[in-house]
Amino acid sequence: VGAGGRVVVSLRTLASGPTREIPDSVEHNQIAPFWSMDSRYLVYPTTGAVQVFDVATSTVRDLCACRFHGGSWNRSGVILLGAFRPGEPIQRLSLDDRTLRPVTSVDPTTGARDQWPVFLPDVQRFLFTPTTANEPAATYLASLDGGEPTRVADGSRRMFFELPGEGQWLLGIEA
């Protein structure tokens, strides 16, 4: 909680006590921010835009004029943003090329939207949850290379871990 009782996103290193409030993070804190793979940047929503906070310099830059539900950033610099509105797919962009490009396809007449993308360690494949009013939640596997997504589990993916040294993953599902 920040000044005046506002709920804000703040950062604090484990090595030091002071916290830093992330600029403009007050209005949309119900949408979870996400980190770059190297933890140098934090992506978060503001009014009508998505911004990137540089942890080392405390500088902020605009990523795109859009909204999102869930996001992921791979080691190759690709950023995925989950759909905010019905009829929207997951979109990709990067810090160097901020042009939004769809990576999934959605039938806009169904009210579906693809949300909550998370990259797998191979940096090409990702999990996501399509949502519709008429279908139960499920988790799908897709690739930046294209192709038809594969249903991998009933329920929505809520956590993902790579098991050390195993080359295997642990996937937590919320029904």
Side-chain angles (χ1 to χ4, degrees):
V1 177
R6 302 171 304 145
V7 176
V8 297
V9 176
S10 297
L11 293 180
R12 183 178 132 197
T13 66
L14 296 177
S16 66
T19 60
R20 292 183 284 170
E21 184 177 310
I22 305 297
D24 299 323
S25 65
V26 176
E27 295 186 35
H28 300 287
N29 56 34
Q30 74 276 11
I31 298 174
F34 62 94
W35 291 95
S36 61
M37 285 296 289
D38 59 9
S39 300
R40 291 177 46 208
Y41 303 101
L42 181 71
V43 178
Y44 64 98
T46 63
T47 303
V50 176
Q51 292 189 323
V52 177
F53 179 78
D54 184 316
V55 175
T57 64
S58 294
T59 58
V60 175
R61 66 171 144 173
D62 289 336
L63 183 61
C64 62
C66 64
R67 306 277 302 275
F68 70 93
H69 274 278
S72 191
W73 192 330
N74 72 14
R75 287 185 297 273
S76 299
V78 176
I79 300 167
L80 296 179
L81 298 177
F84 185 77
R85 292 178 189 81
E88 291 182 346
I90 292 172
Q91 309 240 21
R92 93 183 255 174
L93 70 163
S94 71
L95 283 181
D96 297 327
D97 181 0
R98 292 183 271 165
T99 304
L100 290 167
R101 293 183 177 85
V103 294
T104 60
S105 60
V106 177
D107 179 353
T109 64
T110 65
R113 57 183 154 185
D114 291 343
Q115 299 178 312
W116 311 113
V118 61
F119 275 109
L120 296 177
D122 66 9
V123 304
Q124 285 299 113
R125 295 180 301 161
F126 60 95
L127 301 172
F128 72 97
T129 302
T131 59
T132 65
N134 303 326
E135 298 281 330
T139 298
Y140 283 76
L141 175 67
S143 174
L144 293 177
D145 297 329
E148 192 67 28
T150 304
R151 186 181 181 123
V152 295
D154 292 335
S156 176
R157 177 230 24 102
R158 288 292 180 238
M159 61 183 156
F160 169 79
F161 303 96
E162 183 175 10
L163 300 175
E166 300 290 323
Q168 298 176 359
W169 309 309
L170 174 65
L171 176 65
I173 301 292
E174 174 182 54

